Amino acid sequence: VYIGVGPEQNFTYAAVLQSRLAFVIDIRRQNMLLLLMYKALFDMSPNRADFVSNLFSRVRPATLDAKASAAELFAAYQNVKPDGDLLAKNQQAIKAYMSKHGYELSSEDLKNIENLLAVFSRGGLAINYGFESPLPAILQNPATYRQMMLTADITGRNSAFLASEENYLYVREMQRKNLIVPLVGDFAGPAVIRNVGRYLAERKATVGVFYISNVETYLDPSGAQRFYANVAELPVDSSSMFIRHILGNPARGLSWWRPGMTNVSTVAPMKEFIDAFKAGRRPTFAEIVRETKDPVVLGGLTR
């Protein structure tokens, strides 16, 4: 089982990991609404080309083949203008989807979902996390949606959920079977992570990956320890892994940091951490970062 936080990067992880079930936990209700919007769009879109059309309110180019590469897919939409009629049609279709499936959403929730789709229409393929945000940007030149869908890893492989029809259809099937579950909750709170843990334990399931992004940097020391106590209640095995995204200055605490690194994704064994926590260790985030091993060296690759 996969557990994550934030928006669509979770679809990529679920596809690559071939997850059987995914929970996405975020303290922001709007993140849950965004994921419900995505859920409706997956249902409405039998293939990637239709999905991009519906997400960004661009009429699908007639010549676009469903077998197109990610680069071809996004190149085809690069100069297509937003279509107001398609936006309005999809906004109504998403509302109908929510009503049909009995989601108990307020009128304000539904209005927020309408607004979210409109933002994607205005932002287009170049939308990034700071687009039309009321909060000041914390990153210089944040990645665009198009860049995220076209970026390859160190081996040259693009694993994004829109990189291939296979990845997209895997996530779409999870969505249609209600296997990607968005939850509103606090990582340091008393309920959501522990409730997920109980649910999994009752079904003899284990967490394969917990993508915690940079949540730890938002928690004060006591909040971080409450979060770690919650994690200690999750069912894991020796293969279970954390994925962290360590931003900016905290990344300098990595023993293998070098100039030029800014934001670094890392992996770390969950069971090893949980065993140490249950034995009484209470590490700080700085200690966790400092002790994180270099996954590239471990994998026998060179940078």
Side-chain angles (χ1 to χ4, degrees):
V1 173
Y2 170 85
I3 304 176
V5 63
E8 65 282 318
Q9 63 266 56
N10 296 288
F11 304 150
T12 291
Y13 282 128
V16 171
L17 296 163
Q18 298 283 285
S19 302
R20 299 285 298 278
L21 174 64
F23 294 96
V24 181
I25 303 168
D26 201 293
I27 199 167
R28 300 162 295 186
R29 183 172 181 83
Q30 181 135 318
N31 193 73
M32 180 269 287
L33 297 176
L34 175 66
L35 291 180
L36 288 181
M37 181 195 83
Y38 266 121
K39 181 176 175 62
L41 291 173
F42 274 104
D43 189 73
M44 294 160 52
S45 309
N47 52 60
R48 290 177 300 150
D50 286 341
F51 180 84
V52 174
S53 170
N54 290 328
L55 177 62
F56 295 106
S57 303
R58 267 76 172 162
V59 175
R60 176 176 171 169
T63 58
L64 186 56
D65 192 308
K67 297 180 181 178
S69 67
E72 292 168 337
L73 174 67
F74 281 89
Y77 281 102
Q78 188 65 38
N79 296 315
V80 180
K81 302 298 182 184
D83 186 287
D85 291 338
L86 182 58
L87 170 61
K89 174 186 172 183
N90 286 341
Q91 286 172 325
Q92 290 303 310
I94 290 171
K95 286 174 67 175
Y97 177 90
M98 300 302 163
S99 176
K100 174 184 175 181
H101 291 282
Y103 291 106
E104 296 182 359
L105 300 175
S106 68
S107 58
E108 182 180 0
D109 287 335
L110 293 172
K111 186 65 177 177
N112 280 337
I113 291 175
E114 280 190 12
N115 290 339
L116 284 167
L117 194 64
V119 169
F120 275 88
S121 176
R122 292 192 294 273
L125 311 186
I127 195 170
N128 60 41
Y129 91 99
F131 181 76
E132 294 191 0
S133 172
L135 301 175
I138 60 172
L139 294 177
Q140 294 293 322
N141 302 315
T144 67
Y145 205 102
R146 180 178 182 273
Q147 287 172 323
M148 290 192 295
M149 293 300 113
L150 298 183
T151 298
D153 63 21
I154 196 170
T155 69
R157 177 185 176 187
N158 180 358
S159 299
F161 78 99
L162 293 178
S164 69
E165 206 67 18
E166 180 184 12
N167 281 5
Y168 174 76
L169 292 176
Y170 189 89
V171 178
R172 183 174 189 255
E173 189 66 10
M174 288 187 74
Q175 294 279 19
R176 288 165 64 85
K177 291 181 176 178
N178 300 315
L179 298 177
I180 298 178
V181 183
L183 300 170
V184 182
D186 183 351
F187 273 34
V192 64
I193 291 177
R194 290 173 183 259
N195 286 341
V196 168
R198 281 191 287 270
Y199 179 89
L200 299 182
E202 288 168 2
R203 288 156 180 79
K204 296 181 171 57
T206 57
V207 176
V209 163
F210 192 167
Y211 165 66
I212 56 180
S213 187
N214 63 328
V215 167
E216 288 155 301
T217 62
Y218 290 94
L219 301 175
D220 61 26
S222 62
Q225 294 307 316
R226 291 195 301 273
F227 166 53
Y228 300 146
N230 291 337
V231 167
E233 298 302 313
L234 293 172
V236 300
D237 61 24
S238 60
S239 67
S240 304
M241 291 285 169
F242 289 117
I243 299 178
R244 288 183 171 89
H245 194 58
I246 305 176
L247 300 176
N249 285 333
R252 293 172 178 265
L254 294 164
S255 62
W256 39 277
W257 184 90
R258 68 182 191 188
M261 289 184 178
T262 52
N263 309 319
V264 183
S265 290
T266 67
V267 293
M270 290 183 70
K271 189 175 187 304
E272 182 178 302
F273 175 87
I274 290 171
D275 288 346
F277 188 88
K278 288 182 174 179
R281 187 172 183 223
R282 298 294 180 267
T284 65
F285 177 60
E287 288 171 334
I288 289 170
V289 171
R290 189 163 56 247
E291 295 167 9
T292 300
K293 297 179 176 63
D294 185 347
V296 175
V297 172
L298 291 175
L301 299 171
T302 56
R303 292 190 178 280

Coordinates of all heavy atoms in Angstrom, one line a residue, residues 174-252:
M174 N -7.1 2.3 -11.0 CA -7.1 2.5 -9.6 C -8.2 3.5 -9.2 O -9.0 3.3 -8.2 CB -5.8 3.0 -9.0 CG -4.7 2.0 -9.0 SD -3.2 2.7 -8.2 CE -3.7 2.6 -6.5
Q175 N -8.3 4.6 -9.9 CA -9.3 5.6 -9.6 C -10.7 5.1 -9.8 O -11.6 5.3 -9.0 CB -9.1 6.8 -10.6 CG -7.8 7.6 -10.3 CD -7.9 8.6 -9.2 OE1 -8.8 8.5 -8.3 NE2 -7.0 9.6 -9.1
R176 N -10.9 4.3 -10.9 CA -12.3 3.8 -11.2 C -12.7 2.7 -10.2 O -13.9 2.5 -10.0 CB -12.3 3.2 -12.6 CG -12.3 4.3 -13.7 CD -12.0 3.8 -15.1 NE -13.0 2.9 -15.5 CZ -14.1 3.3 -16.2 NH1 -14.4 4.6 -16.3 NH2 -15.0 2.4 -16.6
K177 N -11.7 2.1 -9.5 CA -12.0 1.1 -8.5 C -11.9 1.7 -7.1 O -11.9 1.0 -6.1 CB -11.0 0.0 -8.6 CG -11.2 -0.9 -9.8 CD -10.2 -2.1 -9.8 CE -10.5 -3.0 -11.0 NZ -9.5 -4.1 -11.1
N178 N -11.8 3.1 -7.0 CA -11.8 3.8 -5.7 C -10.6 3.3 -4.8 O -10.7 3.2 -3.6 CB -13.1 3.6 -4.9 CG -14.3 4.1 -5.7 OD1 -14.2 5.2 -6.2 ND2 -15.4 3.3 -5.7
L179 N -9.5 3.1 -5.5 CA -8.3 2.7 -4.8 C -7.2 3.8 -4.5 O -6.1 3.5 -4.1 CB -7.6 1.5 -5.6 CG -8.5 0.3 -5.7 CD1 -7.8 -0.8 -6.6 CD2 -8.8 -0.3 -4.4
I180 N -7.6 5.0 -4.9 CA -6.8 6.2 -4.5 C -7.7 7.0 -3.6 O -8.7 7.6 -4.1 CB -6.3 6.9 -5.7 CG1 -5.3 6.1 -6.6 CG2 -5.5 8.2 -5.3 CD1 -4.8 6.7 -7.8
V181 N -7.4 7.1 -2.3 CA -8.3 7.6 -1.4 C -7.7 8.9 -0.8 O -6.7 8.9 0.0 CB -8.6 6.6 -0.2 CG1 -9.6 7.2 0.8 CG2 -9.1 5.3 -0.8
P182 N -8.2 10.1 -1.1 CA -7.7 11.3 -0.5 C -8.3 11.6 0.9 O -9.6 11.4 1.1 CB -8.2 12.4 -1.5 CG -9.4 11.9 -2.1 CD -9.3 10.4 -2.1
L183 N -7.5 11.9 1.8 CA -7.9 12.2 3.2 C -7.4 13.5 3.7 O -6.3 13.9 3.3 CB -7.4 11.1 4.1 CG -7.8 9.6 3.8 CD1 -6.9 8.7 4.7 CD2 -9.2 9.4 4.0
V184 N -8.3 14.2 4.5 CA -7.9 15.5 5.1 C -7.4 15.2 6.5 O -8.2 14.6 7.3 CB -9.0 16.5 5.1 CG1 -8.5 17.8 5.7 CG2 -9.6 16.7 3.7
G185 N -6.2 15.5 6.8 CA -5.7 15.2 8.1 C -4.3 15.7 8.4 O -3.6 16.1 7.5
D186 N -3.9 15.8 9.6 CA -2.7 16.3 10.1 C -1.7 15.2 10.4 O -2.0 14.3 11.2 CB -3.0 17.1 11.4 CG -1.7 17.8 12.0 OD1 -0.6 17.6 11.5 OD2 -1.9 18.6 12.9
F187 N -0.5 15.2 9.8 CA 0.5 14.2 10.0 C 0.8 14.1 11.5 O 1.1 13.0 12.0 CB 1.7 14.5 9.3 CG 1.8 14.0 7.8 CD1 0.6 13.9 7.1 CD2 2.9 13.5 7.3 CE1 0.6 13.4 5.8 CE2 3.0 13.0 6.0 CZ 1.8 13.0 5.2
A188 N 0.7 15.2 12.2 CA 1.1 15.2 13.7 C -0.2 15.0 14.5 O -0.1 15.1 15.8 CB 1.8 16.5 14.0
G189 N -1.3 14.9 13.9 CA -2.6 14.7 14.7 C -2.8 13.3 15.2 O -2.0 12.4 14.9
P190 N -3.8 13.1 16.0 CA -4.0 11.8 16.7 C -4.7 10.8 15.9 O -4.9 9.7 16.3 CB -4.8 12.2 17.9 CG -5.6 13.4 17.4 CD -4.8 14.1 16.5
A191 N -5.3 11.1 14.7 CA -6.2 10.2 14.1 C -5.8 9.6 12.7 O -5.7 8.4 12.6 CB -7.6 11.0 13.9
V192 N -5.5 10.5 11.7 CA -5.6 10.0 10.3 C -4.5 8.9 10.1 O -4.9 7.8 9.5 CB -5.5 11.1 9.3 CG1 -4.1 11.8 9.4 CG2 -5.7 10.7 7.9
I193 N -3.3 9.1 10.4 CA -2.3 8.1 10.1 C -2.5 6.8 10.9 O -2.4 5.7 10.4 CB -0.9 8.6 10.4 CG1 -0.5 9.7 9.3 CG2 0.2 7.5 10.3 CD1 0.8 10.3 9.6
R194 N -2.9 6.9 12.2 CA -3.2 5.8 13.0 C -4.4 5.0 12.5 O -4.5 3.8 12.5 CB -3.4 6.2 14.5 CG -2.1 6.7 15.1 CD -2.3 7.2 16.5 NE -1.1 7.7 17.1 CZ -0.3 7.1 18.0 NH1 -0.7 5.9 18.4 NH2 0.8 7.6 18.4
N195 N -5.4 5.7 12.0 CA -6.6 5.1 11.4 C -6.3 4.3 10.2 O -6.7 3.2 10.0 CB -7.7 6.1 11.2 CG -8.4 6.6 12.4 OD1 -8.3 5.9 13.5 ND2 -9.0 7.7 12.3
V196 N -5.4 4.9 9.3 CA -4.9 4.1 8.1 C -4.2 2.9 8.6 O -4.4 1.8 8.0 CB -4.1 5.1 7.3 CG1 -3.3 4.2 6.2 CG2 -4.9 6.1 6.6
G197 N -3.3 3.0 9.6 CA -2.6 1.9 10.1 C -3.5 0.8 10.6 O -3.2 -0.4 10.3
R198 N -4.5 1.1 11.4 CA -5.4 0.1 11.8 C -6.2 -0.6 10.7 O -6.3 -1.8 10.7 CB -6.4 0.7 12.8 CG -5.9 1.0 14.2 CD -7.0 1.3 15.2 NE -7.5 2.7 15.0 CZ -6.9 3.7 15.6 NH1 -5.9 3.6 16.4 NH2 -7.4 5.0 15.4
Y199 N -6.6 0.2 9.7 CA -7.3 -0.3 8.6 C -6.4 -1.3 7.8 O -6.9 -2.4 7.5 CB -7.7 0.8 7.6 CG -8.4 0.4 6.3 CD1 -9.8 0.3 6.3 CD2 -7.7 0.1 5.2 CE1 -10.4 -0.1 5.2 CE2 -8.3 -0.3 4.0 CZ -9.7 -0.4 4.0 OH -10.3 -0.8 2.9
L200 N -5.1 -1.0 7.6 CA -4.2 -1.9 6.9 C -3.9 -3.2 7.8 O -3.9 -4.3 7.3 CB -2.9 -1.2 6.6 CG -3.1 0.0 5.7 CD1 -1.7 0.6 5.3 CD2 -3.8 -0.3 4.4
A201 N -3.7 -3.0 9.1 CA -3.4 -4.1 10.0 C -4.5 -5.1 10.0 O -4.3 -6.3 10.0 CB -3.1 -3.6 11.4
E202 N -5.7 -4.6 10.0 CA -6.9 -5.5 10.0 C -7.0 -6.3 8.8 O -7.6 -7.4 8.8 CB -8.2 -4.7 10.2 CG -8.4 -4.1 11.6 CD -9.5 -3.1 11.6 OE1 -10.1 -2.8 10.6 OE2 -9.7 -2.5 12.7
R203 N -6.4 -5.8 7.7 CA -6.4 -6.5 6.4 C -5.1 -7.2 6.1 O -4.9 -7.6 4.9 CB -6.9 -5.5 5.3 CG -8.3 -5.2 5.4 CD -8.7 -3.8 4.8 NE -10.1 -3.6 4.9 CZ -10.7 -3.1 6.1 NH1 -9.9 -2.9 7.1 NH2 -12.0 -2.9 6.1
K204 N -4.2 -7.2 7.1 CA -2.9 -7.9 6.9 C -2.2 -7.3 5.7 O -1.5 -8.0 4.9 CB -3.1 -9.4 6.8 CG -3.6 -10.0 8.0 CD -3.7 -11.5 7.9 CE -4.1 -12.2 9.2 NZ -5.3 -11.7 9.8
A205 N -2.3 -6.0 5.5 CA -1.6 -5.3 4.5 C -0.4 -4.5 5.1 O -0.4 -4.1 6.3 CB -2.5 -4.3 3.7
T206 N 0.6 -4.2 4.3 CA 1.7 -3.4 4.7 C 1.9 -2.2 3.9 O 1.5 -2.1 2.7 CB 3.0 -4.2 4.7 OG1 3.2 -4.7 3.4 CG2 3.0 -5.4 5.7
V207 N 2.5 -1.2 4.4 CA 2.9 0.0 3.7 C 4.2 -0.2 2.9 O 5.2 -0.6 3.5 CB 3.1 1.2 4.6 CG1 3.6 2.5 3.9 CG2 1.9 1.5 5.4
G208 N 4.1 -0.1 1.6 CA 5.3 -0.2 0.8 C 6.1 1.0 0.7 O 7.4 1.0 0.9
V209 N 5.5 2.1 0.5 CA 6.1 3.4 0.5 C 5.3 4.5 1.2 O 4.1 4.5 1.0 CB 6.4 3.9 -1.0 CG1 6.7 5.4 -1.1 CG2 7.6 3.1 -1.6
F210 N 5.9 5.4 1.9 CA 5.3 6.5 2.5 C 6.0 7.7 2.0 O 7.2 8.0 2.4 CB 5.3 6.5 4.0 CG 4.4 7.5 4.7 CD1 4.2 7.4 6.1 CD2 3.9 8.5 4.1 CE1 3.4 8.3 6.8 CE2 3.0 9.5 4.7 CZ 2.8 9.4 6.1
Y211 N 5.4 8.4 1.0 CA 6.0 9.7 0.5 C 5.6 10.8 1.4 O 4.4 11.2 1.4 CB 5.5 9.9 -0.9 CG 5.7 11.3 -1.5 CD1 7.0 11.7 -1.7 CD2 4.7 12.1 -1.8 CE1 7.2 13.0 -2.2 CE2 4.9 13.4 -2.3 CZ 6.2 13.8 -2.5 OH 6.4 15.1 -3.0
I212 N 6.6 11.3 2.2 CA 6.3 12.4 3.1 C 6.8 13.7 2.7 O 6.6 14.7 3.4 CB 6.9 12.0 4.5 CG1 8.4 11.8 4.4 CG2 6.2 10.8 5.1 CD1 9.0 11.5 5.8
S213 N 7.3 13.8 1.5 CA 7.7 15.1 0.9 C 8.6 15.9 1.9 O 9.5 15.3 2.5 CB 6.5 15.8 0.4 OG 6.9 17.0 -0.3
N214 N 8.3 17.2 2.0 CA 9.0 18.0 3.0 C 8.1 18.4 4.2 O 8.3 19.4 4.8 CB 9.5 19.3 2.3 CG 8.4 20.1 1.8 OD1 7.3 19.7 1.4 ND2 8.6 21.4 1.8
V215 N 7.2 17.5 4.5 CA 6.2 17.8 5.6 C 7.0 18.1 6.9 O 6.6 19.0 7.7 CB 5.2 16.7 5.8 CG1 4.5 16.8 7.1 CG2 4.2 16.7 4.7
E216 N 8.1 17.4 7.2 CA 8.8 17.5 8.5 C 9.3 18.9 8.7 O 9.4 19.4 9.8 CB 9.9 16.5 8.5 CG 9.5 15.1 8.7 CD 10.5 14.1 8.2 OE1 10.8 14.2 7.0 OE2 11.0 13.3 8.9
T217 N 9.5 19.7 7.6 CA 10.0 21.0 7.8 C 8.9 22.0 8.2 O 9.2 23.1 8.7 CB 10.6 21.6 6.5 OG1 9.6 21.6 5.4 CG2 11.8 20.7 6.0
Y218 N 7.7 21.5 8.1 CA 6.6 22.4 8.6 C 6.2 22.1 10.0 O 5.3 22.8 10.6 CB 5.3 22.1 7.7 CG 5.5 22.7 6.3 CD1 5.9 21.9 5.3 CD2 5.2 24.0 6.1 CE1 6.0 22.4 4.0 CE2 5.3 24.5 4.8 CZ 5.7 23.7 3.7 OH 5.8 24.2 2.5
L219 N 6.8 21.0 10.6 CA 6.4 20.6 12.0 C 7.4 21.2 13.0 O 8.6 21.1 12.7 CB 6.4 19.1 12.1 CG 5.4 18.4 11.1 CD1 5.5 16.9 11.2 CD2 3.9 18.8 11.4
D220 N 6.9 21.6 14.1 CA 7.9 22.0 15.2 C 8.4 20.7 15.8 O 7.9 19.6 15.5 CB 7.2 22.9 16.2 CG 6.0 22.3 16.9 OD1 6.0 21.1 17.0 OD2 5.1 23.1 17.4
P221 N 9.4 20.8 16.7 CA 10.0 19.5 17.2 C 9.0 18.6 17.9 O 9.1 17.4 17.7 CB 11.0 20.1 18.2 CG 11.5 21.4 17.7 CD 10.2 22.0 17.1
S222 N 8.1 19.1 18.7 CA 7.1 18.3 19.3 C 6.1 17.7 18.3 O 5.7 16.5 18.4 CB 6.3 19.0 20.4 OG 5.6 20.1 19.8
G223 N 5.8 18.5 17.3 CA 4.9 18.0 16.2 C 5.6 16.8 15.4 O 4.9 15.8 15.1
A224 N 6.9 17.0 15.2 CA 7.6 16.0 14.5 C 7.6 14.7 15.2 O 7.4 13.6 14.7 CB 9.0 16.4 14.2
Q225 N 7.8 14.8 16.6 CA 7.8 13.5 17.4 C 6.4 12.9 17.4 O 6.3 11.6 17.4 CB 8.3 13.9 18.8 CG 9.7 14.3 18.9 CD 10.7 13.3 18.2 OE1 10.6 12.1 18.3 NE2 11.6 13.9 17.4
R226 N 5.4 13.7 17.4 CA 4.0 13.1 17.3 C 3.8 12.4 15.9 O 3.2 11.3 15.9 CB 2.9 14.2 17.5 CG 2.9 14.7 18.9 CD 1.6 15.5 19.1 NE 1.4 16.6 18.2 CZ 1.9 17.9 18.4 NH1 2.7 18.1 19.5 NH2 1.7 18.8 17.5
F227 N 4.3 13.0 14.9 CA 4.3 12.4 13.6 C 5.0 11.0 13.6 O 4.5 10.0 13.1 CB 4.8 13.3 12.5 CG 5.1 12.7 11.2 CD1 4.2 11.9 10.5 CD2 6.4 12.8 10.6 CE1 4.5 11.3 9.3 CE2 6.7 12.2 9.4 CZ 5.7 11.5 8.7
Y228 N 6.2 11.0 14.2 CA 7.0 9.8 14.2 C 6.3 8.7 15.0 O 6.4 7.5 14.7 CB 8.4 10.1 14.7 CG 9.2 11.0 13.9 CD1 10.1 11.9 14.5 CD2 9.0 11.1 12.5 CE1 10.8 12.8 13.7 CE2 9.7 12.0 11.7 CZ 10.6 12.9 12.3 OH 11.3 13.8 11.6
A229 N 5.6 9.1 16.1 CA 4.9 8.2 16.9 C 3.7 7.6 16.1 O 3.4 6.4 16.2 CB 4.4 8.8 18.2
N230 N 3.1 8.4 15.2 CA 2.0 7.9 14.4 C 2.6 6.9 13.4 O 2.0 5.8 13.1 CB 1.4 9.1 13.6 CG 0.6 10.0 14.5 OD1 0.2 9.5 15.6 ND2 0.4 11.2 14.1
V231 N 3.7 7.2 12.8 CA 4.4 6.3 11.8 C 4.7 5.0 12.4 O 4.5 3.9 11.8 CB 5.7 7.0 11.2 CG1 6.5 6.0 10.5 CG2 5.3 8.2 10.3
A232 N 5.1 5.0 13.7 CA 5.4 3.8 14.4 C 4.3 2.8 14.5 O 4.5 1.6 14.8 CB 6.0 4.1 15.7
E233 N 3.1 3.3 14.3 CA 1.9 2.4 14.3 C 1.5 1.8 13.0 O 0.5 1.0 12.9 CB 0.7 3.2 14.9 CG 0.9 3.7 16.3 CD 1.2 2.6 17.3 OE1 0.5 1.6 17.3 OE2 2.2 2.7 18.1
L234 N 2.2 2.1 11.9 CA 1.9 1.6 10.6 C 2.5 0.2 10.5 O 3.6 -0.1 10.9 CB 2.5 2.5 9.5 CG 1.8 3.9 9.4 CD1 2.6 4.7 8.4 CD2 0.4 3.8 8.9
P235 N 1.8 -0.7 9.8 CA 2.4 -2.0 9.5 C 3.4 -2.0 8.4 O 3.0 -1.5 7.3 CB 1.1 -2.9 9.1 CG 0.1 -1.9 8.6 CD 0.4 -0.6 9.3
V236 N 4.6 -2.4 8.6 CA 5.6 -2.3 7.6 C 6.4 -3.6 7.6 O 6.2 -4.5 8.4 CB 6.6 -1.1 7.9 CG1 5.9 0.2 7.9 CG2 7.3 -1.3 9.2
D237 N 7.3 -3.7 6.6 CA 8.2 -4.8 6.6 C 9.6 -4.3 6.1 O 9.8 -3.1 6.0 CB 7.8 -6.0 5.7 CG 7.6 -5.6 4.2 OD1 8.3 -4.6 3.8 OD2 6.8 -6.2 3.5
S238 N 10.6 -5.2 5.9 CA 11.9 -4.7 5.6 C 12.1 -4.0 4.3 O 13.1 -3.3 4.1 CB 12.9 -5.9 5.6 OG 12.5 -6.9 4.6
S239 N 11.1 -4.1 3.4 CA 11.2 -3.4 2.2 C 10.5 -2.0 2.2 O 10.6 -1.3 1.2 CB 10.6 -4.2 1.0 OG 9.2 -4.4 1.2
S240 N 9.8 -1.7 3.2 CA 9.0 -0.4 3.3 C 10.0 0.8 3.3 O 11.0 0.8 4.1 CB 8.1 -0.4 4.6 OG 7.3 -1.5 4.6
M241 N 9.6 1.8 2.6 CA 10.5 3.0 2.4 C 9.8 4.3 2.6 O 8.6 4.4 2.2 CB 11.2 3.0 1.0 CG 12.2 1.9 0.8 SD 13.7 2.2 1.7 CE 14.5 0.6 1.5
F242 N 10.5 5.3 3.2 CA 10.1 6.6 3.2 C 10.7 7.2 1.9 O 11.8 6.9 1.5 CB 10.7 7.5 4.3 CG 10.2 7.2 5.7 CD1 11.0 6.7 6.7 CD2 8.9 7.5 6.0 CE1 10.5 6.5 8.0 CE2 8.4 7.3 7.3 CZ 9.2 6.8 8.3
I243 N 9.9 8.2 1.3 CA 10.5 9.0 0.3 C 10.3 10.5 0.8 O 9.2 10.9 1.1 CB 9.8 8.9 -1.1 CG1 9.9 7.5 -1.6 CG2 10.4 9.9 -2.1 CD1 9.2 7.3 -3.0
R244 N 11.4 11.2 0.9 CA 11.4 12.5 1.4 C 11.9 13.5 0.2 O 12.6 13.1 -0.7 CB 12.4 12.8 2.5 CG 12.0 12.2 3.8 CD 13.0 12.5 4.9 NE 12.5 12.1 6.2 CZ 12.7 10.9 6.8 NH1 13.4 10.0 6.1 NH2 12.2 10.6 8.0
H245 N 11.3 14.7 0.2 CA 11.8 15.7 -0.7 C 12.4 16.8 0.2 O 11.7 17.5 0.9 CB 10.7 16.2 -1.6 CG 11.2 17.1 -2.7 ND1 12.0 16.5 -3.7 CD2 10.9 18.3 -3.1 CE1 12.3 17.5 -4.6 NE2 11.6 18.6 -4.2
I246 N 13.7 16.9 0.2 CA 14.4 17.8 1.1 C 14.8 19.1 0.3 O 15.6 19.0 -0.6 CB 15.7 17.1 1.7 CG1 15.2 15.8 2.4 CG2 16.3 18.1 2.7 CD1 16.4 15.0 3.0
L247 N 14.2 20.2 0.8 CA 14.4 21.5 0.1 C 15.5 22.3 0.6 O 15.7 22.4 1.8 CB 13.1 22.3 0.2 CG 11.8 21.7 -0.4 CD1 10.6 22.6 -0.1 CD2 11.9 21.4 -1.9
G248 N 16.3 22.9 -0.3 CA 17.2 24.0 0.0 C 18.2 23.7 1.1 O 18.9 22.7 1.1
N249 N 18.3 24.6 2.1 CA 19.3 24.5 3.1 C 19.3 23.2 3.9 O 20.4 22.7 4.2 CB 19.2 25.7 4.1 CG 19.7 27.0 3.5 OD1 20.6 26.9 2.6 ND2 19.2 28.1 3.9
P250 N 18.1 22.6 4.2 CA 18.2 21.3 4.9 C 18.9 20.3 4.2 O 19.5 19.4 4.8 CB 16.7 21.0 5.1 CG 16.0 22.3 5.2 CD 16.7 23.2 4.2
A251 N 18.9 20.3 2.8 CA 19.6 19.3 2.0 C 21.1 19.4 2.3 O 21.8 18.4 2.1 CB 19.3 19.5 0.5
R252 N 21.6 20.5 2.7 CA 23.0 20.6 3.0 C 23.5 19.7 4.1 O 24.6 19.5 4.3 CB 23.4 22.1 3.3 CG 23.3 23.0 2.1 CD 23.5 24.5 2.5 NE 23.4 25.4 1.3 CZ 24.5 25.8 0.7 NH1 25.7 25.4 1.0 NH2 24.3 26.6 -0.4

